[in-house]
Amino acid sequence: ASVIRDKTTSETTLEGGALVLADKGICCIDEFDKMEESDRTAIHEVMEQQTVSIAKAGITTTLNARTAILAAANPLFGRYNKRKSPSANINLPAALLSRFDLMFLLLDTPN
């Protein structure tokens, strides 16, 4: 979410981000492994509490984000190592990965 200042009236308004807009729906996230740490922290809150907390420009509130998250991530170094765990291959914190109910591995076997 972000705070937008209207150019004509100089009023500030709150504009919801992807997870807030996907309330009671599904949010699809590609390149999940390349997200910034601050965004991952926000997603962790959504997956745990189904809300997004905002404290910007004097606005402090909590927005609903009751959404399912479908995320796609690439393996570390571009190849999946079958000898390592999924969390080691994807290079995401185990606490975040544990929030997902299902995890599917799509392997492209070189020939």
Side-chain angles (χ1 to χ4, degrees):
S2 62
V3 176
I4 307 295
R5 183 172 302 277
D6 189 290
K7 291 179 183 178
T8 342
T9 63
S10 296
E11 291 181 353
T12 56
T13 58
L14 194 60
E15 189 173 281
L19 294 170
V20 174
L21 293 173
D23 189 34
K24 295 185 180 180
I26 186 167
C27 183
C28 300
I29 304 170
D30 192 14
E31 303 290 342
F32 195 71
D33 54 313
K34 293 171 182 64
M35 277 185 152
E36 294 181 20
E37 188 61 35
S38 59
D39 294 332
R40 285 189 201 156
T41 304
I43 288 175
H44 197 269
E45 178 191 352
V46 170
M47 294 177 84
E48 186 176 284
Q49 300 172 5
Q50 296 187 332
T51 59
V52 175
S53 300
I54 305 296
K56 291 181 180 178
I59 298 174
T60 305
T61 189
T62 302
L63 304 172
N64 286 327
R66 300 160 294 193
T67 180
I69 296 176
L70 175 67
N74 295 314
L76 195 60
F77 307 120
R79 285 264 181 227
Y80 191 85
N81 186 345
K82 292 181 183 180
R83 294 183 192 104
K84 293 184 179 180
S85 68
S87 61
N89 269 293
I90 301 170
N91 195 28
L92 290 172
L96 181 59
L97 287 177
S98 70
R99 298 285 174 214
F100 288 96
D101 294 324
L102 300 170
M103 186 183 309
F104 296 98
L105 299 176
L106 302 176
L107 300 176
D108 184 15
T109 308
N111 47 359

